[in-house]
Amino acid sequence: MFLFRRNGPRVTVDEARSRTGGEQPEAVLLDVREKPEWTTGHAPGAVHVPLSELTAGATLPTVAEGRPLVVICRSGHRSQQAAKLLAERGAQAVDVEGGMNAWAAAGHPVVDERGNSGRIA
């Protein structure tokens, strides 16, 4: 179930992990932070497209096309913008309340670009 806010639908980090994890996830976790942030630490299995590229007209990676999207950033601000932009383009998109800061605080895994333990920058 989505949590509706003034800026659009939002989900908790636990709901985001539930919807995007497992062998056959119902949604794609889309990380919209910039490359240095992504490289330092992201959720395993997430797909990366920076908000700056989305606003410049970038398309989604094939794995995310036509799929429900759970959008995440560091704190939740950029992901709100990205989810709104993607919804305007016809995607089913929600953002993660509290972003990767909340994800890590909840004890969910964070990996770096090599798959080792990462951190949120």
Side-chain angles (χ1 to χ4, degrees), residues 3 7 9 41-42 64 85-86 92 99 101 113:
L3 302 173
N7 294 321
H42 57 272
L85 174 70
L86 291 163
Q92 182 184 348
N101 287 335
E113 64 182 334

Side-chain angles (χ1 to χ4, degrees), residues 21 67 121:
R67 305 255 333 263

Side-chain angles (χ1 to χ4, degrees), residues 23-74:
E23 286 187 32
Q24 295 183 350
E26 69 178 82
V28 172
L29 185 62
L30 179 67
D31 192 318
V32 297
R33 295 174 301 145
E34 294 302 317
K35 178 79 171 166
E37 295 171 289
W38 165 266
T39 301
T40 302
H42 57 272
V47 175
H48 182 234
V49 180
L51 177 61
S52 60
E53 292 181 17
L54 286 174
T55 58
T59 59
L60 294 171
T62 304
V63 68
E65 289 179 2
R67 305 255 333 263
L69 303 170
V70 176
V71 186
I72 197 165
C73 65
R74 183 178 47 82

